[in-house]
Amino acid sequence: LSSSAALLRQEIERLEGEYSALQMAREVLDEANAALQSRFSPALGRRAAEIFARLTGGRYSGVVLDRAFRVSAEPAGDPAYRDAGLLSAGAAGQLYLAVRLAICDLVLPPERNLPIVLDDALANFDDDRCAAALRYLKEEAGKRQILLFTCHSREAEFFAGDNEVSVQRLTDAV
């Protein structure tokens, strides 16, 4: 019994050491998270607001991310922010695209010109929203390569005759 008790005490000591290390790691991660939120979240909100305003033709002027990175938008001329869940599906889609593109702008080093890959990012946009997004993406493509994958044809039709945009069809379907 005394041998078993000694083994259990050793196991307790090992687990307490592991627990202390995990506790310390959590504290460091909490501090890093707080620093990230205080520095990154406001910059992300500002950049997302710029992009969102462009995508919506100025209908929205602000974007805020809370501590849990939930996103809300401010309609132009109305200081009351709207949670993304209260926006129309199209506006919410534009908002999330704006946030994703803002993250890319803030995180990807500009000197490396890393490409952005979007897969059916505009699939749920109506034609006007899709056109606004495509105009914005074409402008951004002057800074970095943007690859937009889609199973729809309207994006290709939008850029038909535009020699600055390369459209590759992987099937003969139209």
Side-chain angles (χ1 to χ4, degrees), residues 33-164:
N33 185 39
L36 176 68
Q37 286 176 356
S38 66
R39 280 196 325 256
F40 188 70
S41 183
L44 178 58
R46 281 190 300 277
R47 183 63 184 130
E50 293 169 9
I51 297 169
F52 191 44
R54 295 273 311 280
L55 293 176
T56 62
R59 288 190 307 273
Y60 290 87
S61 58
V63 172
V64 170
L65 289 95
D66 68 12
R67 294 179 74 68
F69 286 99
R70 284 186 307 260
V71 66
S72 299
E74 177 186 20
D78 183 351
Y81 280 84
R82 310 285 195 288
D83 184 82
L86 299 176
L87 301 176
S88 69
Q94 288 174 303
L95 178 58
Y96 290 127
L97 176 62
V99 171
R100 289 193 312 261
L101 293 172
I103 290 169
C104 291
D105 283 353
L106 295 173
V107 173
L108 299 176
E111 67 278 0
R112 301 264 323 267
N113 293 326
L114 297 170
I116 295 175
V117 179
L118 301 169
D119 185 15
D120 259 340
L122 314 179
N124 295 321
F125 287 15
D126 62 28
D127 290 341
D128 291 338
R129 285 183 168 99
C130 181
L134 291 172
R135 282 190 294 275
Y136 180 81
L137 291 172
K138 180 181 176 189
E139 184 180 312
E140 287 299 300
K143 299 178 210 166
R144 70 175 78 237
Q145 182 180 26
I146 297 180
L147 303 171
L148 174 63
F149 294 92
T150 183
C151 61
H152 302 281
S153 59
R154 69 178 172 174
E155 289 85 348
E157 291 167 7
F158 181 86
F159 287 120
D162 187 329
N163 294 330
E164 295 178 348

